[in-house]
Amino acid sequence: MAFEPSDTLALKILVAGGFGAGKTTLVGAVSEIRPLRTEERLTEAGRDVDDTGGVDHKTTTTVAMDFGRITIRSGLSLYLFGTPGQDRFWFLWDELSQGALGAVVLVDTRRLQDCFPSVDYFEHRGIPFLVAVNCFPGARSYSAPEVADALDLDPGTPVVLCDARERDSGKEVLVRLVEHAGRVHTARMLETVS
């Protein structure tokens, strides 16, 4: 039996960000398969650990990961791995990030400080990422340059506005990430050749 290479390229993408930023929502909105979710109910025992300020309506939290898949175009699929948002689950991030093409850092501007650890994580590991501002209803709106400035992002790090509940909006975020990561990886390869 001869080996025949698959004509479908599958890329691994992380969806990260702070607690309650909409990671599970984004993965669920864009996934063409029923997403795998590892959500558990918030309990009284976690009240002192989980800061629910600004997301008081939140009743569950991801304790391992979310997983979904989306076909961007014929021959190109993305495997989405949503990371847990609280620091107590961050020991999973190193495993989840292995082999990732890039990452989406989902941001809630009402809790902007919650995304700094995600930004730092990807910057320090050299994993290409973009910041996707989840535009929550009723939240004050900011432009992409304002958010980039507030986060002190490296020049060239894309910032896009999105609605994590909307499939087309989420898909556009993922397309922009793949394009950005492709440029970053190509530039790195060219540097090693020079």
Side-chain angles (χ1 to χ4, degrees):
M1 182 163 106
F3 172 77
E4 294 191 25
S6 170
D7 57 353
T8 300
L9 177 62
L11 303 173
K12 182 178 184 180
I13 302 294
L14 297 182
V15 179
F19 177 66
K23 301 175 295 295
T24 298
T25 301
L26 178 67
V27 171
V30 300
S31 183
E32 61 199 16
I33 62 171
R34 183 173 162 209
L36 167 70
R37 293 187 171 130
T38 59
E39 289 207 313
E40 293 295 330
R41 294 193 63 73
L42 292 171
T43 64
E44 192 62 36
R47 181 180 294 278
D48 295 334
V49 180
D50 298 323
D51 175 14
T52 58
V55 288
D56 304 327
H57 64 284
K58 189 162 176 59
T59 60
T60 61
T61 187
T62 300
V63 296
M65 69 174 187
D66 298 312
F67 175 78
R69 184 189 74 217
I70 181 174
T71 302
I72 296 296
R73 61 171 169 73
S74 178
L76 177 59
S77 293
L78 303 180
Y79 291 148
L80 308 174
F81 291 81
T83 64
Q86 300 101 306
D87 355 353
R88 62 187 160 131
F89 298 121
W90 276 28
F91 65 92
L92 298 166
W93 281 45
D94 288 336
E95 292 296 322
L96 289 174
S97 67
Q98 286 192 11
L101 174 75
V104 171
V105 175
L106 204 56
V107 171
D108 177 352
T109 58
R110 299 169 301 178
R111 295 167 51 110
L112 191 63
Q113 71 282 0
D114 291 356
C115 77
F116 280 104
S118 300
V119 168
D120 290 344
Y121 182 89
F122 298 118
E123 282 182 345
H124 286 107
R125 284 161 183 80
I127 298 172
F129 70 96
L130 66 68
V131 171
V133 179
N134 192 3
C135 299
F136 285 92
R140 183 174 169 203
S141 61
Y142 296 90
S143 69
E146 288 174 310
V147 173
D149 192 41
L151 295 176
D152 193 27
L153 296 174
D154 290 338
T157 302
V159 177
V160 296
L161 307 179
C162 73
D163 184 337
R165 302 169 299 176
E166 299 293 328
R167 186 180 204 298
D168 288 342
S169 183
K171 185 175 178 180
E172 180 59 30
V173 167
L174 296 170
V175 168
R176 291 278 307 272
L177 172 64
V178 170
E179 292 170 348
H180 171 65
R183 287 190 299 272
V184 169
H185 288 294
T186 300
R188 288 178 184 164
M189 287 188 332
L190 292 174
E191 285 176 11
T192 60
V193 173
S194 301

